[in-house]
Amino acid sequence: MLYLKPANFEDIEKEHAFVAAEPANENGFINNYHDVSFDDFKAITLPRMLDHALGKNMPEGYVPETFYFLWSDEGNPNDRTNHLIVGELRLRHHLNASLENGSGHVGQFIKKEYRGLGYCTQGLKLLIEEARKIVPENELYLHCNIDNPASLRVMIKNGGVIHHKDQSGYYVRIKLRDENLEEYLKETPSINYSHPLIEAKIKELQEKSDSQIDYIKNAYEFVRDKITHSWDVKATVVSKNAAEVLKNGT
């Protein structure tokens, strides 16, 4: 069985061996850590991966990105010592102009000896489920090189539709959720978004945003950085609706 697991320190030895052996550039999948030493992977590369998943210390023009490793349990799910990393997938949490017209949300790489076994198809299927929890857009944007038909087949098997193509490759879309979200956007006593506090915060975030995508990013980062989980901070106050969460910060 295959499963996805985000980069972590628990599996650092196997993660390092896999990343260091990946080509620097293959079929458009860029690996900036080819041949990285274990010491540098531990001190620099892995902490950078974890930071990027949280949207921290991002280079200019980058968006938050989670690095996932695709694992095979080798038929023994309970004995993790024998589990193997067979691929790496990356999920960018939202689009910007560069990604929208370029590589999109997803990067994927399968180790050469595991290709042709359906692992990439299964890995992308697992990643799509993660994307539904994270990505605000209703479609997952993907790109593959014009000379990489195998990658295109993987996307199509997972519900992908070719949006357009150019000299660089195919631009594919995979639907994440129904675009008719009216039922999910109705106001409720708990999600009281017409409250003056909520409306004021919406206006504040909109005014500091240059575009709809920028507004989504700013709203995401506000909640991530300013709203705490009550259990994590041992809060004594109990917020019962969205306005109270905003007021109490938890």
Side-chain angles (χ1 to χ4, degrees):
M1 186 182 78
L2 299 179
Y3 62 94
L4 281 181
K5 191 175 182 183
N8 64 88
F9 273 96
E10 177 187 6
D11 302 308
I12 188 171
E13 288 85 5
K14 291 183 177 180
E15 292 171 343
H16 165 256
F18 187 89
V19 170
E22 284 181 67
N25 184 349
E26 184 175 283
N27 292 324
F29 185 89
I30 306 299
N31 175 27
N32 294 321
Y33 310 117
H34 174 68
D35 273 346
V36 64
S37 70
F38 179 79
D39 288 343
D40 283 348
F41 186 81
K42 182 178 181 180
I44 301 172
T45 304
L46 185 53
R48 182 180 294 159
M49 289 178 171
L50 300 181
D51 275 354
H52 286 191
L54 297 173
K56 297 181 178 178
N57 301 318
M58 305 291 298
E60 184 70 27
Y62 279 55
V63 304
E65 177 180 40
T66 298
F67 293 76
Y68 293 93
F69 290 99
L70 182 64
W71 290 79
S72 169
D73 67 10
E74 298 298 288
N76 192 348
N78 297 319
D79 183 9
R80 292 206 71 251
T81 58
N82 291 320
H83 292 192
L84 300 174
I85 297 177
V86 299
E88 180 190 340
L89 293 95
R90 302 173 189 169
L91 178 64
R92 300 169 195 105
H93 295 191
H94 61 81
L95 296 173
N96 59 19
S98 175
L99 293 173
E100 186 172 353
N101 299 297
S103 57
H105 294 99
V106 174
Q108 50 190 344
F109 172 84
I110 300 296
K111 198 172 182 180
K112 196 168 186 177
E113 55 262 44
Y114 297 108
R115 295 173 190 171
L117 301 175
Y119 284 8
C120 196
T121 300
Q122 294 180 59
L124 181 56
K125 181 179 180 180
L126 293 170
L127 192 73
I128 290 168
E129 293 307 310
E130 295 300 312
R132 289 194 170 105
K133 306 172 191 174
I134 297 171
V135 171
E137 291 88 5
N138 288 324
E139 291 183 314
L140 201 63
Y141 283 50
L142 304 94
H143 175 271
C144 68
N145 288 352
I146 200 77
D147 59 352
N148 189 9
S151 184
L152 180 62
R153 286 195 296 270
V154 165
M155 297 173 186
I156 291 173
K157 285 179 182 178
N158 277 285
V161 175
I162 298 173
H163 183 269
H164 66 282
K165 71 175 183 177
D166 59 21
Q167 291 182 343
S168 74
Y170 294 94
Y171 298 81
V172 176
R173 307 287 186 261
I174 296 176
K175 183 174 286 190
L176 293 178
R177 57 188 67 88
D178 192 340
E179 294 182 6
N180 182 11
L181 299 178
E182 290 182 5
E183 288 299 314
Y184 301 95
L185 297 177
K186 288 182 179 179
E187 188 165 19
T188 69
S190 297
I191 309 174
N192 55 336
Y193 53 72
S194 64
H195 189 282
L197 284 177
I198 302 289
E199 290 188 335
K201 178 55 67 176
I202 291 171
K203 183 178 180 181
E204 175 191 328
L205 292 171
Q206 287 176 333
E207 288 177 348
K208 65 182 286 190
S209 304
D210 297 325
S211 65
Q212 182 70 6
I213 293 296
D214 194 36
Y215 167 62
I216 292 170
K217 173 178 177 290
N218 289 332
Y220 165 82
E221 291 180 348
F222 171 78
V223 174
R224 182 195 68 193
D225 298 338
K226 301 299 183 182
I227 305 298
T228 61
H229 188 277
S230 56
W231 175 258
D232 292 341
V233 298
K234 301 297 186 290
T236 56
V237 63
V238 178
S239 300
K240 298 179 181 178
N241 56 50
E244 290 183 6
V245 168
L246 182 59
K247 179 181 178 182
N248 299 326
T250 187

